[in-house]
């Protein structure tokens, strides 16, 4: 079978061995999170400080600093976002093929860090700016799947939910700190954007150093179920013939297709509350803060109950947010309730999906398989945003949201049927 | 991988790298803040009444004026002999603005307020360039105008993250009546008609407002569903109707008979615009002699001449050029390292 053989990890704790279902109760406080996971979390933390500080000031820099028009910015941003899906698959595949997850992820981190120097040197040249932004996106796409594969390969399968919870919480901490650091720097230096880029570059480089210092290289820890060089695009695609994986992929893509993008959700919230647009950029921070607080508890719950339940409940939280936005509830209660539900949705789905899908993929295809899963979900979300925008323009915000809620409810029902009840299946 | 360094060696290596990178970051930041430290603006004694001339925002971020001599407008374009003023002819006003405009004894200065999130202030200044009223709102300064009488102020800011289209930037325009104190923070509530029909959509964006002498009629750009329109509006009735498509950033001539605007002549991002002047009587527009793509709301120096900013030789720099409004002549450089032109005629 394609199902992963026993779990791996440098510190396989005693206790129920391979074949244990995730439903088996994990004794509380049994084992610490694998040090590799913490190291990867630290890498993500400093890297996210690095990337979010640039993301936060980039619009300001382009328009105020360089005097680029919104049109040009829109063009750059489109380029910036269109690249990831393809690159992610390539990165996942490369990591599997050479069995060098750390190297591929590290190359991605390094490329993103170097792109800051590109921004610094690009000046007002649109092609050079585009190239720098593209490099950042390529780096991000390349590193994601190998990094998540490293997490799954370096910790006990029963603790995957918690491991991803810890990683995502650290990642989100970085994302929250980034904009603060950036705006503080702009404040302190009287709008020296180049200082933001240099500090971002230093943070990014530190992430690469931490990765190579504390994350084991050459996936020596993982038993070689496949020899290096045997992962081919075809063999990754053959994962689709694994029924359990196929079902998770279908469910993730389907749910992605009915998950309205964050920007939309926050925009609806802003309109419902009639919030000063100046505070609009703070809404995502609210969601992220809740995500940060709930990521670890949600991961632990996932390990205890099986990952299907939190994953579905997370989407139920999203549905709850839609319903609240349609309800007459207003003011601060609406703001808090929607942000909490939205943060809970992320906490219960983002890392949990990786923990859900990871064990279904053989070690030798792990990065490629996770990349497939991430790309399916991302593609679904991309389409969802386009459809939601069209519905909003064509009818109204209320209609679009009602449709989205109905679609999410239906998709949740289907996903409930699609997802395997217990994971992993007996081998 | 052959040998693995001991945990201690790895911690030491990371600590060293962190210290080194932190040092680079700190040194660079300190040097940047010294370089960027704004010179304390001092009271200059310049007023709109005592110092008529071409007001511009310099690349250093302060507002300067190229004074007119003895009532003769210095930065002229026809034949241009006396046109270009040297840098030393400039006088600093002591104002620091992102965008500046003056007319009718009133000026508006858009500044940014640092912080999270960054915000914009529109500071209304009297003829002595003293602040009269300040309006604060979210966004990044873009355009600013004062009506010819000095009574009505308008501005446009970019608001990031406010467009459900995701990648596009969103704009927000506001209008302030300085006499009544009436403030419209977001003009998207105006009753808009396109092709004679009432139009409403969530994605309308307005920018680049210009007012007529009566402080009621105005022109602006509206964009929706990927198209841009020139609209003519009525402030009292709070209505606007689309006049024509594909043009942006209108600017009404002092005599109120013509509109200058940038017209989209190419799709894509390479040189998309060309300045045109529309005769409001015949509704015919004329391309101006400036062949380069101008992304600015042009300002009328007089009834025959327009000024506008174009990117300069170096990064972050721009120059102010002028050109005749009737399509003849050649563009002339009127101020180095400058933007936001506005002409204050002698009283």
């Amino acid at each position: 079978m394609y199902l992963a053989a026993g779990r791996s990890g440098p510190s396989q704790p005693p206790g129920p061995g391979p074949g244990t279902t995730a439903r088996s109760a994990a004794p509380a406080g049994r084992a610490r999170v694998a040090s590799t996971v913490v190291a990867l979390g630290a890498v993500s933390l400093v890297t996210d400080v690095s990337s979010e500080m640039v993301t936060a000031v980039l619009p300001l820099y382009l328009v105020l600093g360089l005097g680029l028009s919104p049109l040009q910015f829109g063009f750059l941003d489109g380029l910036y976002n269109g690249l990831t899906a393809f690159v992610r698959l390539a990165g996942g595949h490369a990591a599997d093929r050479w069995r060098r997850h750390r190297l591929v992820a590290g190359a991605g981190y390094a490329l993103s860090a170097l792109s800051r120097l590109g921004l610094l040197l690009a000046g007002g040249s649109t092609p050079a700016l585009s190239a720098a932004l593209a490099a950042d996106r390529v780096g991000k796409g390349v590193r994601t799947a190998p990094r998540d594969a490293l997490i799954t390969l370096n910790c006990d399968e029963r603790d995957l939910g918690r491991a991803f919870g810890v990683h995502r919480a650290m990642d989100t901490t970085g994302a929250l700190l980034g904009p603060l650091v950036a705006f503080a720097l702009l404040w302190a230096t009287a709008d020296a954007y180049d200082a933001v880029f240099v500090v971002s570059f230093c943070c990014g480089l530190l992430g690469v150093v931490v990765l190579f210092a504390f994350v084991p290289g050459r996936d020596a820890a993982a038993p070689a179920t496949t020899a290096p060089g045997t992962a081919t695009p075809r063999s990754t695609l053959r994962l689709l013939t694994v029924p359990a994986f196929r079902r998770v992929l279908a469910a993730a893509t389907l749910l992605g297709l009915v998950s309205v993008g964050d920007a939309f959700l926050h925009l609806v919230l802003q309109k419902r509350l009639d919030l000063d647009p100046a505070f609009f950029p703070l809404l995502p921070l609210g969601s992220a803060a809740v995500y940060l607080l709930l990521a670890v508890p949600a991961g632990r719950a996932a390990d205890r109950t099986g990952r299907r339940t939190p994953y579905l409940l997370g989407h139920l939280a999203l549905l709850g947010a839609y319903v609240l936005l349609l309800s007459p509830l207003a003011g601060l209660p609406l703001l808090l309730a929607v942000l909490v539900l939205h943060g809970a949705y992320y906490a219960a789905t983002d890392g949990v999906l990786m923990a859900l899908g990871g064990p279904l993929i053989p070690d030798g295809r792990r990065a490629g398989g996770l990349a497939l899963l991430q790309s399916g979900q991302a593609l679904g979300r991309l389409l969802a945003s386009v459809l939601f925008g069209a519905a909003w323009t064509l009818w109204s915000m209320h209609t679009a949201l009602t449709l989205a809620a109905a679609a999410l409810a239906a998709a949740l029902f289907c996903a409930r049927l699609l997802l395997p009840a217990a994971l992993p299946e007996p081998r | 991988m052959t040998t693995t360094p001991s945990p201690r060696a790895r911690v030491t290596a990371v600590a060293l790298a962190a210290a080194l990178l932190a040092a680079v970051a700190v040194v660079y930041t300190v040097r940047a803040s010294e370089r960027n430290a704004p010179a304390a603006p001092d009271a200059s004694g310049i007023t709109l009444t005592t110092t008529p001339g071409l007001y511009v925002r310099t690349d250093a971020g302060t507002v300067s004026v190229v004074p007119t001599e003895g009532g003769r407008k210095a930065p002229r374009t026809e034949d241009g002999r006396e046109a270009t003023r040297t840098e030393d002819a400039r006088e600093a006003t002591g104002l620091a603005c992102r965008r500046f405009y003056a007319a009718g004894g009133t000026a508006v200065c858009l500044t940014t307020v640092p912080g999270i999130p960054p915000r914009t202030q529109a500071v209304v200044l009297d003829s002595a360039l003293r602040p009269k009223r300040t309006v604060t709102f979210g966004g990044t300064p873009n355009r600013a105008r004062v009506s010819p009488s000095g009574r009505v102020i308008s501005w446009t800011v970019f608001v990031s993250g406010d467009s459900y289209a995701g990648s596009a930037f969103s704009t927000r325009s506001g209008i302030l009546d300085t006499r009544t104190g009436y403030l419209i923070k977001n003009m998207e509530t105006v009753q808009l008609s396109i092709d004679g029909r009432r139009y409403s959509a969530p994605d309308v964006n307005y920018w680049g407002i210009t007012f007529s002498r009566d402080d009621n009629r105005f022109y602006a750009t509206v964009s929706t569903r990927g198209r841009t329109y020139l609209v003519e509006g009525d402030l009292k009735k709070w209505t606007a109707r689309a006049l024509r498509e594909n043009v942006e950033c209108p600017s009404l001539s002092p005599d109120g008979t013509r509109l200058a605007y940038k017209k989209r002549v190419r799709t894509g991002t390479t040189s998309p615009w060309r300045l045109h002047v529309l005769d409001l009587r015949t509704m015919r527009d004329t391309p101006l002699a400036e062949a380069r793509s101008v992304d600015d709301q042009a300002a009328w120096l007089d009834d025959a001449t327009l000024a506008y900013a174009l990117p300069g030789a170096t990064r972050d720099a721009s120059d102010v050029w002028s050109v005749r409004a009737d399509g003849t002549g050649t563009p002339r450089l009127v101020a180095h390292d400058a933007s936001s032109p506005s002409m204050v005629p002698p009283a």
Side-chain angles (χ1 to χ4, degrees):
Chain A
M1 283 303 291
Y2 261 109
L3 290 171
R7 200 67 289 112
S8 55
S11 57
Q12 168 112 23
T20 312
T21 69
R23 281 185 177 279
S24 66
R30 180 173 35 92
R32 290 188 307 137
V33 175
S35 63
T36 302
V37 172
V38 178
L40 283 168
V43 172
S44 288
L45 195 156
V46 289
T47 305
D48 256 37
V49 170
S50 164
S51 65
E52 291 300 317
M53 60 192 284
V54 167
T55 307
V57 303
L58 205 57
L60 290 170
Y61 172 65
L62 296 180
V63 175
L64 275 187
L66 299 183
L68 249 61
S69 70
L71 176 88
Q72 286 167 306
F73 179 79
F75 168 76
L76 289 179
D77 201 46
L79 185 86
Y80 190 91
N81 284 317
L83 271 162
T84 34
F86 170 76
V87 170
R88 190 174 1 223
L89 292 172
H93 177 68
D96 284 339
R97 185 169 181 89
W98 301 319
R99 298 192 61 72
R100 300 288 286 271
H101 293 75
R102 184 180 70 164
L103 188 69
V104 174
Y109 282 114
L111 186 61
S112 287
L114 287 174
S115 76
R116 316 290 180 236
L117 293 185
L119 284 176
L120 193 67
L121 300 175
S125 150
T126 310
L129 277 171
S130 312
L133 297 181
D136 175 54
R137 282 288 136 166
V138 168
K140 194 178 171 75
V142 160
R143 72 189 179 227
T144 311
R147 180 201 65 204
D148 281 352
L150 275 173
I151 295 175
T152 66
L153 292 170
N154 281 288
C155 85
D156 193 280
E157 194 174 288
R158 291 161 305 159
D159 295 329
L160 262 188
R162 189 172 57 150
F164 273 107
V166 169
H167 175 265
R168 296 302 199 255
M170 294 177 81
D171 184 276
T172 308
T173 305
L176 279 173
L177 288 175
L180 297 176
V181 173
F183 287 119
L185 272 173
L186 282 188
W187 200 331
T189 61
D191 288 354
Y193 291 93
D194 52 338
V196 174
F197 298 146
V198 168
V199 173
S200 169
F201 168 73
C202 291
C203 280
L205 215 54
L206 182 64
V208 178
V209 172
V210 172
L211 177 79
F212 282 99
F214 293 122
V215 174
R218 271 280 182 208
D219 314 310
T225 48
T226 41
T230 58
T232 60
R234 183 178 301 214
S235 73
T236 303
L237 280 180
R238 218 180 296 136
L239 284 171
L240 297 175
T241 61
V242 181
F245 179 76
R246 195 171 58 215
R247 283 158 160 247
V248 172
L249 178 62
T253 309
L254 181 68
L255 286 170
L257 197 54
V258 291
S259 306
V260 170
D262 301 356
F264 274 121
L265 194 90
H266 292 131
L267 185 60
V268 174
L269 189 59
Q270 187 243 325
K271 297 240 186 235
R272 277 287 324 269
L273 296 169
D274 207 15
L275 204 66
D276 185 327
F279 295 106
F280 186 80
L282 299 182
L283 292 179
L285 294 187
S287 294
V290 176
Y291 176 20
L292 168 63
L293 290 175
L294 294 182
V296 177
R300 295 185 74 121
D303 290 338
R304 244 174 288 132
T305 63
R307 279 125 205 170
R308 183 178 72 156
T309 310
Y311 187 66
L312 294 177
L313 282 177
H315 285 91
L316 202 62
L318 185 64
L319 182 60
Y322 291 179
V323 171
L324 282 183
L325 285 169
L326 289 166
S327 78
L329 190 67
L332 195 63
L334 178 71
L335 176 76
L336 292 179
V338 168
L339 290 184
V340 166
L341 285 172
H342 191 234
Y345 153 70
Y346 267 110
T349 58
D350 188 20
V352 171
L353 175 63
M354 297 297 108
L356 183 71
L360 303 173
I361 308 164
D363 291 358
R365 310 270 180 282
R366 189 59 61 81
L370 290 181
L372 264 181
L373 210 50
Q374 290 161 353
S375 291
Q377 186 185 35
L379 207 64
R381 284 188 181 159
L382 192 70
L383 264 171
S385 283
V386 172
L387 292 176
F388 189 81
W392 186 333
T393 309
L394 220 52
W395 300 300
S396 69
M397 179 178 94
H398 194 268
T399 312
L401 201 59
T402 311
L403 285 176
L408 178 55
L412 250 175
F413 182 74
C414 295
R416 168 84 177 68
L417 299 177
L418 267 173
L419 285 176
L423 292 167
E425 290 171 346
R427 58 208 80 214
Chain B
M1 302 291 126
T2 45
T3 53
T4 320
S6 73
R8 193 162 161 190
R10 283 181 284 166
V11 170
T12 313
V14 169
L16 276 176
L20 186 70
L21 290 169
V24 170
V26 168
V27 167
Y28 195 95
T29 303
V30 168
R31 285 186 51 186
S33 66
E34 279 162 6
R35 178 197 63 204
N36 266 28
D42 37 30
S44 61
I46 289 178
T47 74
L48 295 177
T49 27
T50 57
T51 318
L54 179 69
Y55 282 71
V56 292
R57 174 195 188 262
T58 67
D59 284 342
T62 55
V63 175
S64 285
V65 53
V66 185
T68 46
E69 290 168 58
R72 206 175 67 179
K73 296 184 183 76
R76 290 180 72 84
T77 54
E78 298 134 285
D79 308 318
R81 302 254 147 70
E82 68 272 37
T84 313
R85 293 311 229 88
T86 50
E87 298 300 301
D88 18 290
R90 277 189 197 177
E91 292 176 32
T93 61
L95 290 168
C97 307
R98 289 286 187 178
R99 184 96 197 179
F100 178 87
Y101 195 83
T106 307
V108 61
C109 167
L110 296 189
T111 61
T112 46
V113 191
I116 308 163
R119 320 188 88 198
T120 286
Q121 275 185 342
V123 186
V124 182
L125 306 157
D126 63 13
S127 62
L129 299 178
R130 284 181 308 235
K132 265 202 307 199
R133 173 152 183 201
T134 300
V135 187
T136 308
F137 40 86
T140 307
N142 178 235
R143 309 274 185 238
R145 272 293 190 270
V146 178
S147 73
S149 73
R151 172 174 169 178
V152 187
I153 315 285
S154 67
W155 59 80
T156 303
V157 295
F158 289 133
V159 185
S160 56
D162 184 29
S163 168
Y164 67 77
S167 62
F169 244 67
S170 174
T171 64
R172 199 163 292 253
S173 287
I175 297 168
L176 173 70
D177 185 329
T178 57
R179 199 164 305 166
T180 62
Y182 188 68
L183 168 69
I184 299 160
K185 267 205 172 184
N186 180 2
M187 71 165 288
E188 282 167 24
T189 56
V190 70
Q191 241 185 64
L192 172 66
S193 59
I194 295 178
D195 299 331
R197 278 190 298 274
R198 278 289 305 278
Y199 183 90
S200 87
D203 70 342
V204 290
N205 269 310
Y206 289 88
W207 66 85
I209 308 170
T210 183
F211 275 93
S212 76
R213 275 196 181 283
D214 63 5
D215 289 325
N216 184 53
R217 186 163 47 102
F218 66 86
Y219 296 88
T221 319
V222 66
S223 93
T224 177
R225 297 190 194 181
R227 294 159 185 261
T228 54
Y229 302 87
L230 170 70
V231 296
E232 182 182 50
D234 186 305
L235 192 58
K236 282 199 203 85
K237 292 193 201 139
W238 202 223
T239 55
R241 64 189 179 95
L243 291 184
R244 51 179 50 204
E245 227 189 290
N246 214 22
V247 295
E248 299 179 28
C249 292
S251 185
L252 193 62
S253 63
D255 62 12
T257 62
R258 286 153 298 153
L259 271 181
Y261 48 61
K262 56 188 176 108
K263 180 174 182 173
R264 180 174 280 282
V265 290
R266 276 177 212 92
T267 53
T269 55
T270 331
S271 309
W273 291 294
R274 177 145 188 182
L275 281 181
H276 283 65
V277 167
L278 173 74
D279 187 318
L280 288 168
R281 208 167 31 83
T282 61
M283 292 305 275
R284 293 242 313 259
D285 68 353
T286 314
L288 301 191
E290 175 58 81
R292 290 166 292 183
S293 186
V294 174
D295 181 12
D296 192 15
Q297 186 175 18
W300 293 80
L301 297 180
D302 52 45
D303 274 321
T305 324
L306 282 157
Y308 47 88
L310 273 175
T314 58
R315 143 188 193 188
D316 296 7
S318 64
D319 302 318
V320 170
W321 291 72
S322 81
V323 71
R324 286 183 59 91
D326 59 4
T328 64
T330 49
R332 292 198 49 82
L333 180 66
V334 291
H336 269 291
D337 303 325
S339 58
S340 278
S342 52
M343 183 56 126
V344 174

